[in-house]
């Protein structure tokens, strides 16, 4: 088949809405995408038509193809606002040059060195949560404080400002908001971050903002790139993992036997395997991976033309037949190779931090509050799409 995503009249609205009775399950349309031979046309919320790539092997092959670009200065890249680029929206070699500034901070070894800090933050946050109002909101009062404090610590951003930047980030990156409102939130956050980085240049500190300030002082990095790097990490560092903590707890409350095994085990490898499976099963990054074809190419048996936009439907790819019984949660499964963090050059920089935060924050909560329950019906939860999340997660214990 050879057609531009613009040719078709009835594209799938993407991301598709979720069943209120089971909001953590991918919409039924996604299962059909895996069965379909070829790519499917979709229309993103902001209007762009794209091809959805949904099968596991095709997602990996596409993300490894050099004719596929993440460059936000390309007007055909299907994103709502073409603003300033972070390295996540650049191609190599510029992408690799900027990403390299951070890779050592996020290696397994260096993230493991943060274990004690994560445990302290989790325990302190749990003390406050458990003695706070019951029912409580697990998102606002547990998941967000844990992930925000950790990324602030790594970057050297004052945690006292968290309410400000969490609000701006939520507005700048929420799918359904007016582009003008999103742009205004982005600009405010840019100015906040610019001051933060600039103030550090005369006296660089030993954190990720300070290290960039030292590169600026040495003439090796420009201020604008440093600001965008910092904003990207600040947002990715708290929004994604806090969603995953809440959705992991939600899914486990619906699978009480598997919840009990995670709560009661002393074997860290059981927890680590369970977290990989939860990452696969939930797959929060629905619209994170957007690309544009820079040349004509074939994906599977499907022709894609130069300038066509592409989105990787990771929730579908992670439910592909590659994982036996993919629609069942099985915390004993080896979910290794899942695509929840993407694949290829742009694969998630913060994945080791996200894993460790989840491995600590999820069992710690289950142990501290063994009678934890959802305080509302599943259908009352308000989901955010794009990076799948829940606005509030009211729980009781
Ligand atoms: C459960 C939590 C997380 C999930 C599911 C997730 C998912 C992803 C995915 C799918 C991508 C690929 C985007 C693409 O190919 O265009 C990505 C990239 C990225 N993530 Fe994450 N992420 C998580 C946590 C984090 C954290 C905690 C950080 C930072 C501390 C982070 C920082 C980044 C950055 C900087 C990129 C861009 C990498 C590049 O373009 O080279 N992420 N993430």
């Amino acid at each position: 088949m050879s057609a531009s995503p613009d040719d078709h009249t009835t594209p799938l609205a993407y991301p598709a809405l979720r069943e209120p009775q089971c909001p953590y399950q991918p919409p039924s349309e996604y299962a059909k995408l895996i069965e379909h031979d070829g790519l499917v046309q979709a229309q993103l919320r902001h209007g762009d038509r794209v091809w959805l790539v949904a099968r596991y092997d095709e997602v990996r092959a596409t993300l490894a193809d050099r004719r596929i670009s993440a460059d936000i200065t390309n007007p055909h890249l299907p994103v709502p606002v073409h603003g300033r680029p972070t390295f996540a929206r650049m191609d190599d070699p510029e992408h690799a040059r900027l990403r390299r500034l951070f890779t050592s901070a996020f290696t397994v070894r260096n993230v493991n060195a943060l274990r004690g800090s994560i445990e302290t933050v989790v325990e302190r946050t749990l003390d406050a949560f458990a003695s706070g109002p019951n029912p409580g909101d697990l998102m606002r009062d547990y998941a967000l404080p844990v992930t925000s404090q950790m990324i602030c610590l790594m970057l050297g951003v004052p945690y006292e400002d968290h309410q400000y930047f969490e609000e701006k980030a939520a507005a700048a990156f929420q799918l359904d908001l007016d582009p003008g409102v999103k742009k205004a939130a982005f600009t405010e956050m840019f100015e906040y971050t610019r001051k933060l980085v600039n103030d550090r240049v005369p006296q660089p500190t030993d954190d990720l903002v300070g290290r960039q300030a030292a590169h600026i002082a040495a003439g090796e990095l420009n201020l604008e790139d440093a600001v965008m790097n910092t904003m990207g990490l600040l947002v990715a560092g708290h929004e994604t993992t806090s969603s995953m903590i809440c959705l992991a707890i939600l899914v486990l409350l619906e699978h009480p036997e598997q919840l009990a095994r995670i709560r009661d085990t002393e074997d860290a490898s059981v927890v680590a395997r369970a977290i990989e499976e939860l990452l696969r099963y939930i797959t929060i990054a629905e619209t994170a991976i957007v690309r544009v074809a820079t040349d004509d190419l074939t994906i599977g048996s499907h022709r894609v033309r130069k300038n066509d936009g592409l989105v990787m439907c990771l929730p579908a790819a992670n439910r592909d037949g590659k994982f036996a019984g993919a629609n069942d949660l099985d915390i004993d499964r080896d979910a290794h190779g899942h695509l929840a963090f993407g694949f290829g050059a742009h694969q998630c920089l913060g994945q080791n931090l996200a894993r460790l935060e989840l491995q600590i924050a999820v069992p710690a909560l289950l142990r501290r509050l063994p009678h934890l329950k959802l305080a509302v019906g599943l259908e009352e939860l308000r989901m955010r799409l794009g990076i799948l999340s829940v606005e509030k997660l009211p729980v009781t214990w």
Side-chain angles (χ1 to χ4, degrees):
M1 178 182 169
S2 172
S4 152
D6 295 325
D7 296 345
H8 213 274
T9 46
T10 52
L12 171 70
Y14 189 82
L17 296 178
R18 301 200 162 221
E19 289 290 331
Q21 299 81 1
C22 209
Y24 55 82
Q25 284 292 5
S28 54
E29 289 92 329
Y30 296 0
K32 292 188 204 122
L33 299 181
I34 314 177
E35 288 156 22
H36 184 85
D37 180 24
L39 309 187
V40 172
Q41 293 166 30
Q43 180 155 28
L44 301 179
R45 295 300 173 99
H46 64 272
D48 281 354
R49 295 270 185 109
V50 294
W51 294 117
L52 276 186
V53 186
R55 291 182 174 183
Y56 183 89
D57 288 337
E58 287 165 10
V59 168
R60 282 170 56 118
T62 306
L63 292 176
D65 194 310
R66 295 219 156 248
R67 292 163 297 178
I68 295 293
S69 163
D71 178 4
I72 201 168
T73 64
N74 182 329
H76 300 285
L77 189 80
V79 289
V81 183
H82 282 260
R84 297 180 170 91
T86 73
F87 62 86
R89 298 268 189 256
M90 293 177 186
D91 292 336
D92 288 342
E94 196 53 8
H95 157 259
R97 183 183 76 83
L98 291 171
R99 179 175 164 125
R100 220 175 291 126
L101 294 172
F102 305 98
T103 40
S104 77
F106 289 100
T107 58
V108 172
R109 193 158 157 263
N110 285 335
V111 166
N112 270 337
L114 294 171
R115 176 180 288 277
S117 308
I118 302 175
E119 285 170 349
T120 306
V121 165
V122 162
E123 288 307 320
R124 261 204 323 246
T125 312
L126 267 180
D127 289 344
F129 186 71
S131 59
N134 182 355
D137 177 6
L138 205 64
M139 176 57 97
R140 194 195 60 193
D141 294 331
Y142 182 61
L144 269 175
V146 166
T147 56
S148 274
Q149 282 180 76
M150 284 314 302
I151 197 65
C152 280
L153 186 79
M154 286 186 81
L155 286 168
V157 169
Y159 181 65
E160 306 83 83
D161 296 345
H162 73 106
Q163 221 164 345
Y164 174 82
F165 65 71
E166 281 165 14
E167 262 171 44
K168 298 293 162 219
F173 297 94
Q174 198 171 318
L175 279 190
D176 293 334
L177 279 183
D178 171 72
V181 176
K182 286 159 79 93
K183 206 167 179 172
F186 175 90
T187 307
E188 275 194 51
M189 193 156 166
F190 186 88
E191 287 310 318
Y192 165 83
T193 315
R194 199 176 67 82
K195 181 166 180 346
L196 195 81
V197 178
N198 210 20
D199 287 354
R200 226 49 84 77
V201 175
Q203 275 186 315
T205 39
D206 187 24
D207 46 49
L208 293 178
V209 168
R211 280 186 225 167
Q212 292 181 88
H215 285 292
I216 295 172
E220 297 154 0
L221 180 67
N222 71 49
L223 179 63
E224 183 153 305
D225 281 341
V227 173
M228 290 306 297
N229 294 340
T230 306
M231 271 175 72
L233 287 171
L234 192 55
V235 174
H238 77 268
E239 285 254 300
T240 47
T241 316
S242 58
S243 306
M244 220 8 248
I245 291 173
C246 287
L247 293 173
I249 295 293
L250 181 62
V251 164
L252 289 172
L253 288 171
E254 296 284 302
H255 296 80
E257 283 171 18
Q258 301 194 59
L259 180 152
R261 290 208 38 231
I262 296 175
R263 183 189 59 212
D264 299 338
T265 186
E266 299 205 347
D267 183 345
S269 69
V270 170
V271 174
R273 208 174 311 119
I275 293 300
E276 288 314 300
E277 170 64 349
L278 286 158
L279 283 160
R280 178 198 74 83
Y281 184 80
I282 300 169
T283 308
I284 59 173
E286 277 188 293
T287 52
I289 310 193
V290 292
R291 298 289 191 270
V292 57
T294 57
D295 206 344
D296 292 358
L297 72 147
T298 304
I299 298 176
S301 57
H302 194 102
R303 294 288 299 155
V304 167
R305 292 203 299 243
K306 180 175 174 176
N307 294 336
D308 282 355
L310 296 147
V311 172
M312 305 305 123
C313 183
L314 299 184
N318 272 340
R319 298 285 182 108
D320 190 308
K322 143 108 184 134
F323 302 99
N327 287 321
D328 298 326
L329 179 77
D330 173 5
I331 60 165
D332 293 317
R333 154 199 325 270
D334 178 6
H336 182 80
H338 67 71
L339 297 172
F341 291 119
F343 182 74
H346 289 275
Q347 199 182 40
C348 182
L349 175 74
Q351 59 185 287
N352 297 322
L353 176 66
R355 284 193 170 98
L356 192 59
E357 287 179 354
L358 284 157
Q359 288 167 15
I360 295 170
V362 170
L365 175 79
L366 299 176
R367 282 174 202 144
R368 179 73 74 98
L369 304 175
H371 303 295
L372 191 75
K373 281 202 299 277
L374 204 56
V376 294
L378 272 180
E379 63 290 346
E380 289 171 64
L381 296 174
R382 289 196 50 179
M383 305 304 289
R384 283 196 187 141
L385 305 180
I387 297 291
L388 184 70
S389 186
V390 60
E391 266 176 29
K392 291 183 181 152
L393 189 60
V395 290
T396 178
W397 57 91

